[in-house]
Amino acid sequence: MKKGLVLLSILSVTVLTSCVTIRQGEVGVKRKLGKLDNQVKYSGVHGFNPFTSTIIKVPVRTINLPLALENVPSKEGLNITAEMAVLYRILPEAAPKVLTTIGEKYEDVLLISVFRSAAADVCARFYAKDMYTGQREEIEKEITAEMHNILEPRGIIIENVLLKSIVLPRGLAESIEQKLEAEQSAQQMDFVLQKERKEAERKVIEAKGISDAQKIINEGLTPQLIEYKSIEAFKQLSASPNTKVIVTDGKTPLMISPQSKE
């Protein structure tokens, strides 16, 4: 009876340890008697012989690897310190190749070393102030491209390199901040001047419009037109039922309303 329980326990442990669950975002590579199988195992439950084999799980989702960059010389020879991050992923079909040629510690063995080399090479082509201003995106792109060219044939895809923070020499940082403040003030002044010029142009156009309108009116007021308008005014006054006194020289009427008696 005891032997049966022991055998049952051993069998249960063997069954449990001979299965592995591969989750989404990772693949499995079977190692049998020290040799890696080139066939990749995708998400699901997979069985294997625990006495001769094991299954190594390899993440294939995007991984954010934070890295520190210290004492990297810029183009003018200043030492730069920065915090960066590398976004990378492993090609699922290349997982056996990565384990065979690099090993399970591929970050320490290859990826970090390639990053430091690429970052130093790229930063040496830029001034320190470029990493603090609009050129930082270009720096990120160039580091990404260099790393990708080296690692993509090895089965590792570099998606992006992010420059999160940077520490410049104190004097340089202050001078850059002062320059940026001066540029912002100059841009604000340009905006004010442009606004004033637009307002001046608007006033000139408005004055010209009034002048042109008066010129047109003056040119149109001929003696014949004035006489015609006077006749029209006489007709309208004569048709009015109200009592009024009209003084005229025959050309232009001047109406005097009668004063009411107190």
Side-chain angles (χ1 to χ4, degrees), residues 55-93:
I55 293 181
I56 304 172
K57 296 180 181 180
V58 179
V60 293
R61 61 186 178 276
T62 298
I63 295 177
N64 186 333
L65 176 63
L67 293 168
L69 195 64
E70 297 180 356
N71 298 324
V72 175
S74 63
K75 188 173 182 178
E76 68 267 55
L78 297 175
N79 290 329
I80 305 300
T81 299
E83 290 185 5
M84 306 184 75
V86 177
L87 302 181
Y88 78 94
R89 59 184 173 86
I90 294 177
L91 292 173
E93 63 275 12

Side-chain angles (χ1 to χ4, degrees), residues 139-150:
I139 295 172
E140 292 173 347
K141 289 181 179 178
E142 291 198 18
I143 296 176
T144 300
E146 286 202 17
M147 293 185 67
H148 181 79
N149 292 336
I150 297 172

Side-chain angles (χ1 to χ4, degrees), residues 14 132 156 160:
T14 302
Y132 202 75
I156 301 176
N160 208 344

